[in-house]
Amino acid sequence: MYTNEPNALVVLALLKAHGIRTIVASPGTTNAPIVGSAQKDEFFTVYSVVDERSAGYVAIGLAEASGEPVVISCTGATASRNYMSAMTEAYYRKLPVIALTSMADKEMVGHLLPQAIDRTRVPTDVALTSVQLPTLRPGDDTTVCAQLVNRALLETKRRGGGPAHISLSTTHSGVFDVDVLPNVPVLDRFSVTDLVEGRAPDVDALQGCRVVVTVGAHRPFDERLSAAVEAFAETFDAPLLIDHTSGYRGPEAVQAAALTTIGSAPGLRPQVIIHIGEVSGDYPTMGFLEGASAQTWRISEDGELRDRFGSLRYVFEAPEAVFFERYVARAVERGARAGRRAFRDRWRTVVDSVTVPDALPLSAPMIASELAGRLPQGSALHLAILNALRHWNNFSVDPSIVSSCNVGGFGIDGPVSTLLGTSLAFPDRLCFGVIGDLAFFYDMNALGNRHCGSNMRILLVNNSLGAEFTSSDHLGRRGLGDDVTAYVAASDHNGSAKGWAESMGFAYLTASTPAEFRKQLDTFVAPFDPTGAPVLFEVFTTPDDEDAGRRAVIDANRGTGAKAARAVFEVMPPGMKKIAKKALGRG
Ligand SMILES: Cc1ncc(C[n+]2csc(CCOP(=O)(O)OP(=O)(O)O)c2C)c(N)n1
Ligand SMILES: [Mg+2]
């Protein structure tokens, strides 16, 4: 029987899953749960070495001779300190030794409890990674614990390998009544060499599945990556889910955020998510994928275990293009036919079915809907967080437009400066910024920068607060009602940007009604004139109109996604319907 302590069970389950069999155990109470469990499982070979310093070196000998990771397990007191010398040896020789140091809960450190020493920081040259497992009781969620253990174990084999440290707490339960190890997520990481030499998962794992590729914030795709991802989309019928931060505007782009507006639609759920890029500000798509119960394959040169959707299975520490090219090549070798479209068509049809009601009040969504299609070809676009990005993600822009948003840290503190930087990098392009008032006034000094050029065009949506917080479905509005306005939404601070913009040499446009807004649009999007002035277009909206505009778009589209999805079927010949149903998982 195994211990009933969940964190130790996770460690045991993952040691087995990763094929790590050898444990060198030193005596003690706090490591009794894990040692007492391992000794009863024939999978493990356990050696006893009293002196922890010696145990560490025994592990060095074992790890070097076998080439396999070896675990050393010790208790509290000063036991773990004696691992330092062997761990240092392991570090400088890249030997896979895993120090599993047990103790009572780490919160006890510093309160004069016996044997509780601090292991939260380890010297840089004793372990490639050091993780602190949470203290868990039977029934507790083990997700985070499993992620940490996976990370530590995988690190021992990564980039030539080396030692890792796992701090394992105990609740001193003393109960050994569990007869089966838990089923915990096992993560695997593959390098470029694994991909090239065929050690990565077989292409069968993708063929016949509903696969999506989702792209977080990403630098603009180069030609090779575009071609590779498009070939992948064709080969696996995989929609490419993007937003304005994804750096891709080719023919396979599906601007998935429109789903928020539509609600949901049947048949969109993937079974495999290919995840590239960094943080995404596309909350709706991320939320949808989180709930998809799919399996995620993450591709990133950083090789980190980033589990955005709670369903990570594989990480490919490889350039994205290499991954896509390899899997397409494998599928082609197996005789895959390119050109299946049922799943991509379904996504595209649903997303394209978003409509905008005719008479929206003057508001961020109305501005996005009317300006998105008017931005001149070849412009650059910077969207402030959160509202600007949110509303613009419902609308597409010309494929020649490059766009970005500061979703790395989600600060409202730098959108004008970022736009300035973009405008300096692209002196021959018009550079548009769509920015809320709190964000604009936060960063308004950038307008005074002497490098500001005539290619800057700022659309300032001035609702004199953070409309983010006053929208009817924001938790602040729901919980505080109108009291959300003064302090959470920071209303009524700045007035107008007119004086500052004009004194800094910006041409100033303004609008307070839909008609005024439309009247000024031609001027705002007029072709680039290097001899002209930069432009600030200040549009005054009200929080009520902001909310009404947002709601109106949602209300106009509820259910249309489902309708659009059904319509795709209706126009299909019967034989095709059957194939499509099967492909969409409804056959
Ligand atoms: C530096 C920083 N401070 C605070 C926040 C929290 N925050 C997120 S959105 C937002 C409101 C932005 O208001 P505004 O720019 O006027 O845009 P609106 O929501 O009105 O469209 C705030 C304060 C943040 N993201 N960054
Ligand atoms: Mg605002």
Side-chain angles (χ1 to χ4, degrees), residues 385 387 410-413 436-439 442 463 465-469:
I385 59 103
N387 255 340
F410 279 87
I412 59 165
D413 43 4
D437 51 297
L438 297 194
Y442 204 131
N463 42 41
L465 45 62
E468 175 68 28
F469 312 110

Side-chain angles (χ1 to χ4, degrees), residues 2-8 29-30 32-33 136-138 169-178:
Y2 302 102
T3 173
N4 71 345
E5 297 195 15
N7 55 7
T29 299
T30 60
L136 300 173
R137 296 201 156 60
S169 55
T170 176
T171 55
H172 296 289
S173 85
V175 177
F176 289 82
D177 67 351
V178 172

Side-chain angles (χ1 to χ4, degrees), residues 6 9-10 12-14 17 141-143 146 150 178 180-186:
L9 290 170
V10 168
L12 290 164
L14 287 171
D141 184 18
T142 58
T143 313
N150 272 302
V178 172
V180 188
L181 287 177
N183 194 4
V184 288
V186 182

Side-chain angles (χ1 to χ4, degrees), residues 396-483:
S396 47
V397 296
D398 188 87
S400 63
I401 290 173
V402 290
S403 55
S404 67
C405 173
N406 288 340
V407 290
F410 279 87
I412 59 165
D413 43 4
V416 188
S417 300
T418 307
L419 178 67
L420 170 59
T422 308
S423 72
L424 298 174
F426 295 131
D428 302 325
R429 296 186 192 207
L430 279 178
C431 295
F432 290 87
V434 182
I435 304 174
D437 51 297
L438 297 194
F440 174 84
F441 288 110
Y442 204 131
D443 193 25
M444 65 186 275
N445 68 67
L447 250 54
N449 187 291
R450 69 171 194 270
H451 299 294
C452 275
S454 52
N455 58 340
M456 275 176 88
R457 306 257 168 112
I458 299 174
L459 195 140
L460 162 56
V461 184
N462 191 344
N463 42 41
S464 56
L465 45 62
E468 175 68 28
F469 312 110
T470 53
S471 88
S472 50
D473 56 8
H474 186 269
L475 63 93
R477 166 65 94 187
R478 288 202 312 268
L480 296 167
D482 288 346
D483 287 344

Side-chain angles (χ1 to χ4, degrees), residues 122-203:
V122 299
T124 49
D125 56 357
V126 301
L128 296 172
T129 190
S130 171
V131 299
Q132 313 282 318
L133 303 190
T135 304
L136 300 173
R137 296 201 156 60
D140 286 352
D141 184 18
T142 58
T143 313
V144 171
C145 183
Q147 273 170 4
L148 293 170
V149 178
N150 272 302
R151 177 180 308 158
L153 301 188
L154 288 176
E155 206 65 33
T156 63
K157 301 182 198 159
R158 185 183 188 193
R159 299 188 203 141
H165 170 226
I166 299 174
S167 175
L168 173 66
S169 55
T170 176
T171 55
H172 296 289
S173 85
V175 177
F176 289 82
D177 67 351
V178 172
D179 50 11
V180 188
L181 287 177
N183 194 4
V184 288
V186 182
L187 306 185
D188 287 307
R189 182 191 279 121
F190 301 100
S191 64
V192 174
T193 321
D194 293 328
L195 263 174
V196 173
E197 294 181 358
R199 282 191 298 274
D202 194 272
V203 68

Side-chain angles (χ1 to χ4, degrees), residues 232-475:
F232 186 89
E234 274 288 304
T235 308
F236 296 95
D237 188 17
L240 183 59
L241 312 184
I242 55 106
D243 82 342
H244 287 306
T245 70
S246 302
Y248 178 81
R249 292 219 182 276
E252 292 295 340
V254 176
Q255 213 164 300
L259 272 184
T260 17
T261 314
I262 289 166
S264 193
L268 299 178
R269 254 170 228 285
Q271 292 160 306
V272 177
I273 301 168
I274 308 292
H275 182 208
I276 66 173
E278 309 314 317
V279 185
S280 174
D282 177 357
Y283 284 62
T285 307
M286 297 300 109
F288 173 79
L289 295 176
E290 266 172 49
S293 323
Q295 181 185 84
T296 299
W297 298 20
R298 164 111 184 123
I299 296 89
S300 173
E301 281 180 278
D302 73 17
E304 295 301 328
L305 310 180
R306 304 194 195 281
D307 191 3
R308 177 63 185 88
F309 310 112
S311 57
L312 188 61
R313 178 67 186 90
Y314 301 126
V315 172
F316 295 80
E317 187 164 349
E320 295 143 344
V322 172
F323 169 87
F324 291 121
E325 288 164 358
R326 290 309 299 181
Y327 275 92
V328 169
R330 288 270 153 75
V332 171
E333 278 161 28
R334 299 273 169 89
R337 275 180 311 113
R340 282 180 301 120
R341 314 208 45 94
F343 196 41
R344 279 178 294 165
D345 280 350
R346 170 158 288 221
W347 265 94
R348 191 175 298 286
T349 310
V350 170
V351 165
D352 287 353
S353 69
V354 176
T355 55
V356 185
D358 286 338
L360 281 182
L362 189 59
S363 55
M366 180 268 200
I367 292 166
S369 74
E370 302 215 0
L371 184 54
R374 300 282 312 270
L375 293 182
Q377 287 190 346
S379 309
L381 171 66
H382 183 77
L383 300 164
I385 59 103
L386 286 162
N387 255 340
L389 178 65
R390 173 184 292 129
H391 294 302
W392 280 69
N393 268 344
N394 276 332
F395 305 99
S396 47
V397 296
D398 188 87
S400 63
I401 290 173
V402 290
S403 55
S404 67
C405 173
N406 288 340
V407 290
F410 279 87
I412 59 165
D413 43 4
V416 188
S417 300
T418 307
L419 178 67
L420 170 59
T422 308
S423 72
L424 298 174
F426 295 131
D428 302 325
R429 296 186 192 207
L430 279 178
C431 295
F432 290 87
V434 182
I435 304 174
D437 51 297
L438 297 194
F440 174 84
F441 288 110
Y442 204 131
D443 193 25
M444 65 186 275
N445 68 67
L447 250 54
N449 187 291
R450 69 171 194 270
H451 299 294
C452 275
S454 52
N455 58 340
M456 275 176 88
R457 306 257 168 112
I458 299 174
L459 195 140
L460 162 56
V461 184
N462 191 344
N463 42 41
S464 56
L465 45 62
E468 175 68 28
F469 312 110
T470 53
S471 88
S472 50
D473 56 8
H474 186 269
L475 63 93

